[in-house]
């Protein structure tokens, strides 16, 4: 899986050309990344290779757990791991899966034949799959490959994932995965791999039991705390969803309250206008009563000589015309009623009854039409009068 260490590394310009070429391909040979994420993938890989030149981008076939194979980008090489004052190189492969960068990459430790994965290890499975809190808490778009490698170096420096084993037939040309800027001693050069932080194989036989217990307890506490954080985050998210729903209900109720308040305000204004009209009418009637109180007293002293037609006097021509039309209408109504009774009793022939009713009905129609026109003219005159009196009224709404 890992190319030979003797493969020449690409410079910055070649890496840029390579990434631009593979990310711009179309058709069946194109990489399965979304178009809106390709630019960010290119920037992540350029930043990674600039910070860690030992990691080189390339394309390779990745096989998922369901057996599906796909051509993906990867960063293959080594990362520095300081341990007890010495810097070691740890071979890893960073696979950028199809959903990257919205989801974290898949990272494997890639030991050579002279390397063994430590078992058990809190961050590396026996198959080499790496899992650290930074991967589990990956946040798009702030998370990136450079910070990921920095977290790898920090986690591995506390608990290295690999150690070297001695071989019966040493390799005369060991790979260049060793201490940085440290010439290996002759005895180590004879081994198949540079010295590891664990020395010889089977480190579990030489480790202190108390130290192993302490490390396992710390790892267990970290897992428990991480689980509690995930649970709390889910609870807070559910709580936020509830608050958002309540906020939507409150906004809807606010709209209903504002609508009801506006309707009440409009109704209040309409009632104030009606009150103004009533007060104006009351003022007019009070004035009429004051003007006619003397006339009523004079009529009371001469009850025997009261002329009904002189009791009431019309205020204007329209009132006089309305009174005459109304009186004529009611008189014709009484005459028609009397004719009905006479017809029923046989006092009036039917042909005479029909002729009289027809003549009276025509006359009554004209009186009613005239009264309707007079009423309309009176209403118009009253509105004009109230409008003229409104600014001088002493009544407040």
């Amino acid at each position: 899986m890992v190319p030979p260490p003797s493969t020449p590394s690409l410079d910055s310009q070649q890496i840029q050309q390579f990434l631009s070429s593979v990310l711009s391909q179309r058709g069946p040979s194109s990489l399965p990344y979304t178009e809106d994420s390709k630019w960010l993938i290119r920037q992540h890989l350029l930043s990674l290779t600039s910070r860690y030149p030992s990691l080189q981008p390339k394309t390779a076939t990745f096989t998922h757990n369901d057996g599906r194979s796909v051509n993906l980008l990867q960063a293959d090489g080594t990362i520095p791991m300081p341990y007890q004052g010495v810097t070691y190189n740890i071979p890893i492969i960073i696979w950028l899966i199809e959903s990257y960068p919205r989801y974290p990459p898949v990272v494997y430790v890639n030991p050579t034949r002279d390397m063994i994965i430590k078992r058990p290890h809190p961050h590396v499975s026996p198959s080499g799959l790496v899992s650290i809190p930074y991967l589990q808490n990956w946040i798009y778009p702030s998370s990136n490959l450079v910070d990921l490698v920095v977290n790898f170096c920090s986690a591995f420096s506390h608990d290295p994932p690999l150690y070297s084993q001695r071989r019966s037939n040493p390799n005369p040309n060991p790979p260049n995965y060793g201490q940085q800027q440290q010439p290996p001693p002759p005895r180590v050069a004879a081994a198949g791999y540079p010295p590891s932080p664990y020395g010889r194989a089977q480190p579990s036989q030489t480790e202190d039991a108390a130290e192993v217990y302490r490390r396992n307890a710390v790892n267990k506490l970290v897992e428990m705390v991480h689980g509690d954080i995930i649970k709390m985050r889910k609870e807070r998210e559910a709580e936020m969803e509830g608050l958002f729903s309540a906020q939507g209900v409150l906004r809807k109720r606010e709209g209903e309250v504002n609508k009801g308040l506006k309707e009440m305000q409009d109704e209040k204004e309409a009632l104030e206008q009606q009150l103004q009209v009533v007060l104006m009418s009351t003022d007019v009637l009070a004035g009429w009563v004051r003007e006619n109180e003397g006339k009523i007293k004079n009529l009371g002293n001469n009850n025997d000589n009261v002329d009904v037609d002189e009791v009431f006097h019309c205020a204007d021509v329209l009132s006089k015309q309305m009174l005459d039309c109304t009186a004529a209408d009611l008189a014709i109504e009484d005459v028609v009623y009397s004719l009905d009774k006479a017809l029923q009793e046989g006092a009036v022939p039917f042909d005479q009854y029909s002729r009289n009713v027809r003549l009276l009905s025509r006359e009554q129609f004209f009186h009613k039409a005239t009264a309707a026109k007079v009423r309309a003219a009176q209403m118009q005159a009253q509105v004009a009068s109230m409008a003229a009196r409104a600014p001088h009224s002493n009544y407040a709404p």
Side-chain angles (χ1 to χ4, degrees):
M1 296 177 64
V2 180
S6 58
T7 302
S9 61
L10 303 176
D11 57 18
S12 177
Q13 184 176 2
Q14 291 175 333
I15 292 175
Q16 293 182 14
Q17 294 176 354
F18 168 74
L19 293 176
S20 299
S21 175
V22 297
L23 291 174
S24 62
Q25 291 180 358
R26 298 294 185 270
S29 61
S30 62
L31 296 177
Y33 303 109
T34 59
E35 292 297 329
D36 58 342
S37 63
K38 287 184 178 181
W39 182 87
L40 188 59
I41 293 174
R42 181 177 182 274
Q43 296 302 115
H44 281 189
L45 287 173
L46 290 177
S47 301
L48 178 65
T49 56
S50 176
R51 178 73 177 274
Y52 299 98
S54 58
L55 291 172
Q56 295 292 315
K58 58 183 66 176
T59 58
T61 301
F62 180 82
T63 302
H64 290 276
N65 293 334
D66 57 1
R68 179 170 49 89
S69 298
V70 62
N71 194 32
L72 299 176
L73 277 170
Q74 65 172 210
D76 186 9
T78 61
I79 61 173
M81 183 196 70
Y83 183 76
Q84 295 182 354
V86 181
T87 301
Y88 297 87
N89 289 325
I90 301 298
I92 65 170
I93 297 179
I94 303 176
W95 290 93
L96 307 186
I97 59 176
E98 299 93 326
S99 56
Y100 184 87
R102 289 179 172 80
Y103 291 90
V106 176
V107 183
Y108 286 92
V109 171
N110 187 28
T112 63
R113 292 181 299 175
D114 299 330
M115 302 296 293
I116 297 178
I117 299 176
K118 178 191 174 184
R119 299 185 184 182
H121 192 275
H123 303 306
V124 181
S125 67
S127 63
L129 180 64
V130 182
S131 176
I132 62 173
Y134 189 86
L135 284 172
Q136 298 169 357
N137 300 323
W138 184 273
I139 300 176
Y140 172 81
S142 58
S143 300
N144 56 79
L145 297 178
V146 174
D147 293 341
L148 175 64
V149 173
V150 171
N151 281 266
F152 281 154
C153 297
S154 176
F156 292 165
S157 64
H158 291 86
D159 193 356
L162 302 176
Y163 61 88
S164 61
Q165 60 179 350
R166 297 189 178 278
R167 301 172 57 189
S168 58
N169 296 323
N171 186 359
N173 296 319
N176 190 18
Y177 285 143
Q179 304 172 3
Q180 293 182 350
Q181 300 177 357
Q182 295 288 338
R187 294 181 60 185
V188 175
Y193 199 84
S196 74
Y198 290 101
R200 297 178 179 273
Q202 300 178 354
S204 58
Q205 298 178 357
T206 60
E207 288 188 76
D208 187 5
E211 179 67 19
V212 173
Y213 178 79
R214 183 191 67 81
R215 184 169 62 249
N216 292 336
V218 171
N219 294 335
K220 184 64 175 179
L221 288 175
V222 170
E223 292 178 359
M224 294 174 61
V225 171
H226 181 66
D228 292 340
I229 291 175
I230 294 177
K231 181 179 179 181
M232 291 177 61
R233 182 173 64 182
K234 292 181 178 179
E235 292 176 353
R236 297 292 83 79
E237 290 177 353
E239 184 178 354
M240 289 298 295
E241 289 294 334
L243 292 176
F244 284 141
S245 300
Q247 186 180 18
V249 174
L250 291 177
R251 287 179 178 174
K252 182 179 179 181
R253 291 181 178 177
E254 180 185 9
E256 295 175 353
V257 170
N258 291 335
K259 181 180 178 181
L261 183 62
K262 185 177 182 303
E263 292 177 353
M264 294 175 64
Q265 188 69 24
D266 295 340
E267 184 177 0
K268 177 184 176 184
E269 294 177 357
L271 291 175
E272 289 176 349
Q273 293 178 359
Q274 293 180 7
L275 178 61
Q276 185 72 18
V277 173
V278 171
L279 292 175
M280 290 180 182
S281 301
T282 302
D283 189 16
V284 173
L285 292 176
W288 183 87
V289 170
R290 287 193 301 269
E291 293 176 358
N292 293 276
E293 282 181 346
K295 297 179 181 180
I296 296 174
K297 292 179 181 180
N298 294 331
L299 291 173
N301 296 330
N302 301 317
N303 291 333
D304 297 336
N305 300 321
V306 175
D307 187 0
V308 177
D309 294 332
E310 295 180 358
V311 173
F312 297 96
H313 295 277
C314 297
D316 50 23
V317 177
L318 292 176
S319 299
K320 175 63 175 173
Q321 191 174 6
M322 175 62 74
L323 180 62
D324 293 341
C325 291
T326 303
D329 180 22
L330 295 176
I332 294 174
E333 191 73 26
D334 291 341
V335 172
V336 172
Y337 177 77
S338 299
L339 287 174
D340 288 340
K341 298 292 290 182
L343 179 65
Q344 292 177 4
E345 294 175 358
V348 178
F350 180 78
D351 55 347
Q352 185 179 358
Y353 167 80
S354 301
R355 182 171 58 255
N356 291 330
V357 168
R358 183 168 56 254
L359 294 175
L360 292 172
S361 298
R362 183 183 297 109
E363 184 179 358
Q364 186 181 25
F365 171 78
F366 285 113
H367 287 307
K368 287 185 176 181
T370 303
K373 292 182 180 180
V374 171
R375 188 180 298 108
Q378 285 180 330
M379 289 295 295
Q380 186 176 1
Q382 184 180 5
V383 170
S385 176
M386 288 191 302
R389 291 166 55 93
H392 306 288
S393 177
N394 295 327
Y395 296 97

